[in-house]
Amino acid sequence: MEATGTDEVEKIKSKFMSAWHNMKYSWVLKTKTYFSRNSPVFLLGKCYHFKTDESGELSTDGSNFDKINTEISGNVEEFRKDFISRIWLTYREEFPQIKGSALTTDCGWGCTLRTGQMLLAQGLMLHFLGRAWVWPDALDIDNSDSESWTAHTVKKLTASFEASLTAEREPKILSNHHQGTLKRNCDDNEMRNEVYHRKIISWFGDSPLAAFGLHQLTEYGKKSGKLAGDWYGPAVVAHILRKAVEEARDPELQGVTVYVAQDCTVYSSDVIDRQCSFMDSGKADTKAVIILVPVRLGGERTNMDYLEFVKGILSLEYCVGIIGGKPKQSYYFAGFQDDSLIYMDPHYCQSFVDVSIKDFPLESFHCPSPKKMSFKKMDPSCTIGFYCRTVQDFEKASEEITKMLKSSSKEKYPLFTFVKGHSRDYDFASSPLHEENDLFSEDEKKRLKRFSTEEFVLL
């Protein structure tokens, strides 16, 4: 009886905290972001120019397109479409209870897991869709008024809930919107892309069965001493993502692996071994690799000397972003303009969406407006991500990034390094790819515990 009473208290506490955080972060969609007309904007390797004869700033929410010429308007629309097409993963509430806790929301504690999800999602989008892909419905999201956008989302979520009640009893009747979408996407390639678009999002659903959902990630986190509700830093999340991809059983994911740098060092032979490992199908083939590099960009504060390197990294098309933030808040950095970073913010509490339902609403998984932050406000602790489809791509990337590291480093030692050989050649313990009894080796556990004490703290 006492345990039941405790559970009820925890549930009430969880609901209260959810309401508090939703109110606290309600500004996420209400503030406009302005971009300079005179400087290029970079987004995950793509460059956009908003230059006009007039000076001043330009909002990318479409509210002042009438003030600029058609060519520049097109560039703004292309940028908006590209940005909105990235997968946005935020706080959610009212999802199935996380095992071993009373939590049905990640408000207030899950932001770094969400930014890690966004980085991994971008890697999977590069793998399955390519960098040139954009969501055909991206500009249909109404972001000029956050309240109307939210109301639109609520209607979609309500429709999803109603569909979940009737999915097994009635055939799915497509709305006029979806009929129009199917007609527009009659091309086989576009239909294939939309299937993968939905599939990638479904892997990040907030349910126990989703391969990269919060429920699975917190289970892997337990192996490093983290519980649901605890703070997760960028380095710990990098290792959790690696294990999540390693343990994923979906056949579609067997062609992707994740490598996490050890002590700011990428061991080339270890990466290539992962890429050349036998796939579960039994055929020898190479895997694409997502390389995650946990680093610190300074001591207590970010060192401005690293600005040009960070900008250089975000200028690469195979960069999948940065898990970072400012002190006490985690953001997913995806681009920059001048000395400001462009990011997606997970601190917006949205309702649970059942991604197992056919044609589940997509709007809440795409951010309607980018945000900017000065580089000097960035917390020094972060994880940088890259995607390489083949061994040749990895070798080319390592050469290109090494040159960038050398040219940008004013210190004696670069931020991180690529070295030949295996980690074991340098007296580092090499953990096996698959461990039946324990997801993390003893060496990994020590490293994760060290990282967990170095991360920035929760608000």
Side-chain angles (χ1 to χ4, degrees), residues 102-119:
L103 293 168
T104 57
T105 178
D106 62 316
C107 284
W109 60 270
C111 58
T112 314
L113 289 172
R114 295 300 187 183
T115 54
Q117 286 179 321
M118 285 189 259
L119 181 145

Side-chain angles (χ1 to χ4, degrees), residues 25-241:
Y25 296 116
S26 62
W27 53 266
V28 170
L29 293 178
K30 292 181 180 179
T31 56
K32 288 186 178 180
T33 301
Y34 290 89
F35 289 80
S36 169
R37 290 189 175 98
N38 302 315
S39 302
V41 176
F42 284 85
L43 181 69
L44 295 168
K46 286 200 169 186
C47 180
Y48 296 90
H49 293 273
F50 305 151
K51 191 171 179 62
T52 65
D53 293 334
E54 302 175 23
S55 60
E57 295 183 320
L58 174 68
S59 169
T60 59
D61 65 355
S63 61
N64 59 351
F65 279 172
D66 56 327
K67 300 177 183 177
I68 52 181
N69 62 47
T70 305
E71 181 183 354
I72 301 304
S73 175
N75 273 321
V76 173
E77 287 201 358
E78 287 174 18
F79 169 74
R80 285 187 60 222
K81 196 167 186 177
D82 190 11
F83 178 85
I84 293 171
S85 297
R86 303 312 107 202
I87 293 175
W88 184 40
L89 297 158
T90 72
Y91 287 158
R92 295 277 175 174
E93 62 181 351
E94 299 175 1
F95 52 63
Q97 191 169 311
I98 294 176
K99 184 180 177 182
S101 77
L103 293 168
T104 57
T105 178
D106 62 316
C107 284
W109 60 270
C111 58
T112 314
L113 289 172
R114 295 300 187 183
T115 54
Q117 286 179 321
M118 285 189 259
L119 181 145
L120 180 57
Q122 177 59 21
L124 296 175
M125 288 175 75
L126 287 182
H127 184 70
F128 292 105
L129 299 171
R131 183 61 187 90
W133 178 85
V134 290
W135 183 32
D137 295 338
L139 296 183
D140 292 342
I141 290 182
D142 178 13
N143 66 325
S144 59
D145 184 334
S146 63
E147 292 181 357
S148 64
W149 182 87
T150 305
H152 179 64
T153 302
V154 169
K155 291 178 183 177
K156 288 289 186 179
L157 297 178
T158 302
S160 174
F161 175 70
E162 292 172 349
S164 69
L165 297 177
T166 59
E168 296 181 359
R169 300 194 300 269
E170 298 178 7
K172 180 68 179 178
I173 300 175
L174 292 176
S175 64
N176 290 335
H177 172 74
H178 284 295
Q179 287 177 352
T181 302
L182 288 176
K183 186 176 180 180
R184 183 177 67 241
N185 293 343
C186 60
D187 179 83
D188 288 344
N189 188 54
E190 290 188 8
M191 286 292 288
R192 170 202 170 275
N193 288 345
E194 189 55 29
V195 167
Y196 274 110
H197 176 205
R198 286 183 172 275
K199 181 171 285 191
I200 292 169
I201 290 175
S202 71
W203 285 327
F204 295 90
D206 294 307
S207 67
L209 296 179
F212 311 127
L214 204 71
H215 295 69
Q216 286 284 6
L217 299 185
T218 52
E219 276 298 303
Y220 296 129
K222 289 178 182 178
K223 303 296 182 179
S224 64
K226 294 289 185 181
L227 299 176
D230 288 347
W231 172 251
Y232 295 74
V236 172
V237 168
H239 286 274
I240 290 174
L241 293 177

Side-chain angles (χ1 to χ4, degrees), residues 79 95 101 118 141 143 162-163 176 179-180 185 235 282 288-289 296 314 322 356 359 381 383 389 399 447:
F79 169 74
F95 52 63
S101 77
M118 285 189 259
I141 290 182
N143 66 325
E162 292 172 349
N176 290 335
Q179 287 177 352
N185 293 343
V289 64
R296 284 192 70 87
L314 293 170
I322 299 173
S356 67
D359 294 330
S381 180
T383 290
R389 187 177 295 275
E399 290 178 7
R447 191 178 301 118

Side-chain angles (χ1 to χ4, degrees), residues 375-388:
F375 177 76
K376 64 184 178 182
K377 293 182 180 180
M378 182 180 179
D379 190 281
S381 180
C382 63
T383 290
I384 301 169
F386 311 98
Y387 168 85
C388 301

Side-chain angles (χ1 to χ4, degrees), residues 262-263 265 267 270 419-431 443-444 446-447 450:
Q262 299 182 45
D263 298 310
T265 305
Y267 294 93
D270 287 344
V419 300
K420 303 292 184 183
H422 298 88
S423 58
R424 61 174 176 265
D425 301 333
Y426 297 83
D427 294 326
F428 283 100
S430 181
S431 58
D443 183 62
E444 288 173 324
K446 290 177 182 177
R447 191 178 301 118
R450 187 179 76 249

